[in-house]
């Protein structure tokens, strides 16, 4: 917020300095409080104990204040009742003594006043710990005030109280504080008019509340100490109880983390027969069931992989024999009848497809067994892309699709396995040509300092919502009838995903119904580098504005490694 322009320049400079210092202070405070905030977020134990201490402190403090206040009020009420009872007796006595004088000029009146004050104060000095009796007549100048103790009573008997007693002729009381002999003492002051034959005289009785103050302070101290002890005790109890509950939860969390890390033999210790013990027993039962299921699934997967590998290898031998016979028949097909010649051509095509399927199955089995190796070398990707387009030019011509290459003029060197990269691009471009619906297929290559990306874009039927996650599944096809002009095996994209992962890269898909599809292959320039972003966007630029980004199927090394342009922040990684 800027300072108003109408303020003088020095004021605006001062405001800017104040705002700057304020921001620096806020940042410094946040930095200093970061460990505490982090501990507060992560520790359930700390939150429960802290909230218990705060709540108990408020409750105990409120209750203690109420007890102390009520106790003080009770002590004060009792003192007021006692002083009021004594005051009534003193007023009657003063009335009896002063009523014998008919006029102010009576020479015996001063002596009577002094004797009355001494008699009224007799015993109070010891019993009440310094009570003061004062007899005065503010409306009668001839009568001089007299007090039982020589002390300045003006701070105790205020003008407001004098007016209420002398002029209004009413009984008044108040509590005032006076410093006597270097000690501040609180007094309960009572004033009452005394009717006489010559007019009204005011009698003031000042009783120190030292005993009551001492008792109230003792009560407050006792309540404070008891409250602190109670709060500390509640904190200790909350800490122990929370520890009893949180510790098994922490053990369960650590055990679950170990289970998720693959340590399937981890179990919780079961102590007792309470709810926590039941939780531990249920957790252990769940872990045992999961372990059995995972072991069974791993065994089934191992047997499946072994079966696939064994079948693929065993079929190689009869396939070779059949291939030799089929090649002989195919080479002599022109001498056969047209029907037999056509059968020879179909046999040859199906054998090619069957051999391709066996090759893909063997490759998949190597990936599953973890035997796939990367033969990386510094290669130029421009010739690889051109070679793939050249080899698929015949297929593209047959289906009426043109392949448009958008390649840099300079070489694009990266540390890759050329055979695997070419296989990935051949699968992507082949699928794009197959689904191109007679429209051009665009192949774009770009690079930066860390990554190389290739996008293959078609303008065919596209992908329905959710199919972006399925295109990389084995044997999955968007066309349920499996009608293909090329007769693919359904394993090409699955193998391509594994090839991308082997490079430490990504293979991602985007598509929309009627808008075509785009696949993006991203690999690091240097083997072993971690990918952060891709040089090319996954969503085509002509669709990035008006298209809602669908879920994206991908194959990165880790889902949290994908970072891309702002248009792709909604991508979901597979």
């Amino acid at each position: 917020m800027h300072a108003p322009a109408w303020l003088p320049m020095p004021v605006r400079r001062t405001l800017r300095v104040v705002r700057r210092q304020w921001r620096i202070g806020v940042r410094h405070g946040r930095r200093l409080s970061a460990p505490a905030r982090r501990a507060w977020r992560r520790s359930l134990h700390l939150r429960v104990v802290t909230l218990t201490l705060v709540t108990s402190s408020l409750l105990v403090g409120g209750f203690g204040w109420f007890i102390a206040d009520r106790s003080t009020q009770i002590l004060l009420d009792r003192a007021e009742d006692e002083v009021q009872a004594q005051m009534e007796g003193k007023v009657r006595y003063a009335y009896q003594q002063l009523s014998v004088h008919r006029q102010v000029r009576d020479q015996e009146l001063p002596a009577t006043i002094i004797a009355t004050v001494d008699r009224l104060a007799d015993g109070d000095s010891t019993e009440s710990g310094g009570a003061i009796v004062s007899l005065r007549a503010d409306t009668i100048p001839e009568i001089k005030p007299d007090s039982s103790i020589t002390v300045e009573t003006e701070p105790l008997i205020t003008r407001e109280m004098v007016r209420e007693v002398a002029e209004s002729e009413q009984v008044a009381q108040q509590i005032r504080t006076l410093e006597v002999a270097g000690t501040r003492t609180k007094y309960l002051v009572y004033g009452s008019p005394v009717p006489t034959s010559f007019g009204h005289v005011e009698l003031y009785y000042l009783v120190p509340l030292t005993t009551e103050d001492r008792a109230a302070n003792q009560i407050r101290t006792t309540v404070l100490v008891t409250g602190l002890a109670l709060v500390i005790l509640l904190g200790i109890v909350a800490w122990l109880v929370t520890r009893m509950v949180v510790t098994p939860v922490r053990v369960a969390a650590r055990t679950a983390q170990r289970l998720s890390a693959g340590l399937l033999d981890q179990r919780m210790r079961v102590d007792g027969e309470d709810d926590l013990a039941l939780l531990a027993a249920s957790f252990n039962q769940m872990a045992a069931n999961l372990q059995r299921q995972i072991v069974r699934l791993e065994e089934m997967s191992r047997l499946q992989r072994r079966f696939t590998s064994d079948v693929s290898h065993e079929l190689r031998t009869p396939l070779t024999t059949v291939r030799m016979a089929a090649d002989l028949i195919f080479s002599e097909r022109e001498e056969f009848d047209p029907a037999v010649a056509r059968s020879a051509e179909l046999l040859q095509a199906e054998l090619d497809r069957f051999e391709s399927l066996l090759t893909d199955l063997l490759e998949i089995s190597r990936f599953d067994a973890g035997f796939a190796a990367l033969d990386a070398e510094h290669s130029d990707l421009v010739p690889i892309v051109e070679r793939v387009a050249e080899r698929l030019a015949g297929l593209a011509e047959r289906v009426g699709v043109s392949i448009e290459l958008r390649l840099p003029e300079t070489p694009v060197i990266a540390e890759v396995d050329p055979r695997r990269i070419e296989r990935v691009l051949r699968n992507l471009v082949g699928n794009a040509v197959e689904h191109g619906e007679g429209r051009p297929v665009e192949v774009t290559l770009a690079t930066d300092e860390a990554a190389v990306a290739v996008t293959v874009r078609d303008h065919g039927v596209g992908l329905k919502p959710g199919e972006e996650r399925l295109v990389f599944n084995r044997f999955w096809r968007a066309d349920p009838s499996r009608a293909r002009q090329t007769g693919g095996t359904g394993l090409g994209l699955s193998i391509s995903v594994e090839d991308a992962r082997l490079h430490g890269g990504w293979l991602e898909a985007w598509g929309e119904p009627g808008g075509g599809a785009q696949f993006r292959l991203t690999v690091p320039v240097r083997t072993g580098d971690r990918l952060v972003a891709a040089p090319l966007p996954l969503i085509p630029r002509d669709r990035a504005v008006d298209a809602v980004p669908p879920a994206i199927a991908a194959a990165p090394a880790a889902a949290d490694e994908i970072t891309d342009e702002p248009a792709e922040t909604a991508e979901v990684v597979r």
Side-chain angles (χ1 to χ4, degrees):
M1 181 177 178
H2 299 285
W6 52 267
L7 289 176
M9 183 58 68
V11 176
R12 282 188 283 175
R13 289 199 189 100
T14 304
L15 290 176
R16 283 197 293 268
V17 172
V18 171
R19 284 198 300 269
R20 189 180 306 112
Q21 294 299 325
W22 171 261
R23 289 195 292 267
I24 293 174
V26 170
R27 287 196 297 268
H28 188 63
R30 289 178 178 175
R31 187 164 52 251
L32 292 179
S33 62
R37 288 187 283 111
R38 189 181 306 111
W40 176 264
R41 290 194 306 268
R42 296 181 178 179
S43 177
L44 176 62
H45 199 177
L46 176 63
R47 291 201 299 272
V48 172
V49 174
T50 303
L51 292 176
T52 301
L53 287 176
V54 171
T55 305
S56 61
S57 299
L58 293 176
L59 292 176
V60 171
F63 182 73
W65 176 85
F66 176 76
I67 293 296
D69 182 71
R70 290 302 303 161
S71 301
T72 303
Q73 189 63 40
I74 290 173
L75 292 174
L76 181 61
D77 292 343
R78 187 177 65 180
E80 290 178 351
D81 292 341
E82 293 178 356
V83 172
Q84 187 175 5
Q86 294 177 9
M87 188 67 178
E88 292 176 356
K90 294 178 184 298
V91 169
R92 284 195 300 269
Y93 180 80
Y95 170 74
Q96 294 172 359
Q97 297 298 318
L98 296 177
S99 294
V100 299
H101 302 281
R102 298 296 179 183
Q103 56 183 352
V104 177
R105 294 180 178 82
D106 192 340
Q107 296 180 355
E108 300 296 330
L109 180 58
T112 303
I113 291 176
I114 295 174
T116 301
V117 170
D118 292 340
R119 180 68 182 84
L120 293 177
D122 186 22
D124 283 339
S125 177
T126 301
E127 180 181 350
S128 301
I132 303 173
V133 176
S134 178
L135 194 61
R136 55 196 292 178
D138 289 89
T139 58
I140 306 175
E142 292 81 2
I143 299 178
K144 295 182 179 180
D146 186 55
S147 299
S148 60
I149 299 177
T150 304
V151 65
E152 182 62 40
T153 59
E154 288 298 326
L156 299 177
I157 305 174
T158 62
R159 300 303 304 171
E160 293 79 7
M161 188 174 188
V162 170
R163 281 196 300 269
E164 188 174 356
V165 176
E167 299 176 6
S168 302
E169 299 181 0
Q170 295 179 356
V171 177
Q173 72 174 65
Q174 64 181 8
I175 297 177
R176 305 291 293 177
T177 302
L178 179 66
E179 187 170 344
V180 179
T183 304
R184 293 184 63 83
T185 305
K186 186 182 296 183
Y187 281 88
L188 175 60
V189 182
Y190 259 86
S192 175
V194 180
T196 63
S197 301
F198 49 84
H200 283 84
V201 179
E202 301 95 56
L203 176 63
Y204 295 97
Y205 190 34
L206 298 82
V207 181
L209 298 177
T210 306
T211 303
E212 287 74 10
D213 270 352
R214 188 182 300 113
N217 289 334
Q218 290 177 352
I219 292 174
R220 283 192 288 268
T221 302
T222 303
V223 170
L224 178 62
V225 173
T226 305
L228 288 176
L230 182 59
V231 169
I232 295 174
L233 181 61
L234 288 175
I236 295 175
V237 172
W239 183 81
L240 292 175
V241 173
T242 308
R243 187 169 180 266
M244 292 175 57
V245 177
V246 171
T247 300
V249 175
R250 289 178 177 172
V251 172
R254 287 195 295 267
T255 305
Q257 290 175 350
R258 295 191 185 102
L259 287 173
S260 64
L263 303 177
L264 301 179
D265 59 340
Q266 296 295 310
R267 297 293 185 273
M268 292 180 62
R269 189 174 65 179
V270 180
D271 294 328
E273 300 178 357
D274 55 6
D275 294 336
L276 294 176
L278 179 60
L279 171 63
S282 302
F283 186 91
N284 292 341
Q285 183 65 31
M286 179 191 67
N289 293 335
L290 287 176
Q291 183 179 15
R292 285 194 296 268
Q293 292 292 334
I294 291 175
V295 170
R296 186 173 64 86
L297 292 175
E298 287 181 347
E299 181 65 20
M300 292 176 60
S301 178
R302 186 184 64 81
L303 293 176
Q304 182 182 10
R305 291 195 299 269
R306 181 175 179 181
F307 173 78
T308 303
S309 178
D310 291 346
V311 168
S312 301
H313 282 90
E314 291 298 329
L315 289 177
R316 279 291 183 181
T317 301
L319 178 62
T320 302
T321 304
V322 174
R323 165 66 71 181
M324 293 173 59
D327 289 343
L328 179 60
I329 297 174
F330 185 75
S331 62
E332 301 292 337
R333 69 184 183 281
E334 295 181 356
E335 301 178 1
F336 300 148
D337 295 336
V340 179
R342 178 57 180 164
S343 299
E345 293 175 355
L346 294 175
L347 175 63
Q348 185 74 11
E350 291 302 316
L351 282 175
D352 291 340
R353 183 171 178 272
F354 186 50
E355 188 172 8
S356 176
L357 176 60
L358 284 181
T359 303
D360 291 345
L361 287 174
L362 286 174
E363 188 68 22
I364 285 291
S365 65
R366 279 193 291 270
F367 280 119
D368 290 340
F371 294 150
L374 188 67
D375 188 11
E377 60 184 40
H378 289 86
S379 305
D380 185 4
L381 271 68
V382 174
I384 297 177
V385 175
E386 292 175 343
R387 187 163 56 248
V388 170
E390 182 180 355
R391 292 183 178 178
L392 292 173
L395 173 62
E397 184 178 357
R398 286 197 302 271
V399 298
V401 173
S402 62
I403 302 177
E404 300 177 358
L405 301 182
R406 300 176 181 177
L407 307 177
E409 297 180 358
T410 58
V412 178
I413 306 299
E415 192 175 355
V416 296
D417 187 337
R419 179 181 66 86
R420 296 184 183 277
I421 294 297
E422 183 175 349
R423 178 167 61 189
V424 173
L425 296 179
R426 188 168 60 248
N427 285 326
L428 296 181
V429 177
N431 286 340
V433 169
E434 183 180 348
H435 297 86
E437 299 293 328
R439 300 182 181 92
V441 172
E442 302 166 1
V443 181
T444 307
L445 173 65
T447 183
D448 57 21
E449 296 180 355
V452 177
V454 181
T455 60
V456 179
R457 170 82 160 103
D458 67 73
H459 300 273
V461 295
L463 296 173
K464 299 177 182 178
E467 290 184 347
E468 298 87 356
R469 305 174 182 177
L470 303 176
V471 290
F472 299 106
N473 291 347
R474 298 177 184 181
F475 299 107
W476 184 86
R477 300 222 184 176
D479 186 0
S481 66
R482 296 178 176 261
R484 292 286 185 273
Q485 298 191 35
T486 58
T489 63
L491 295 173
L493 290 179
S494 300
I495 296 174
S496 299
V497 164
E498 300 296 339
D499 285 333
R501 286 176 177 166
L502 201 60
H503 283 84
W506 310 331
L507 182 57
E508 303 157 278
W510 169 90
E512 63 179 11
Q518 178 163 291
F519 288 78
R520 181 179 66 179
L521 171 66
T522 310
V523 294
V525 172
R526 291 168 295 275
T527 302
D529 288 356
R530 180 177 180 271
L531 287 180
V532 176
L536 292 174
L538 177 58
I539 302 177
R541 300 189 186 279
D542 60 337
R543 298 289 180 176
V545 176
D546 54 356
V548 178
I552 306 301
D560 58 353
E561 295 179 358
I562 291 187
T563 306
D564 217 321
E565 292 79 10
E568 300 176 63
T569 55
E571 296 177 7
V572 177
V573 178
R574 174 180 178 270

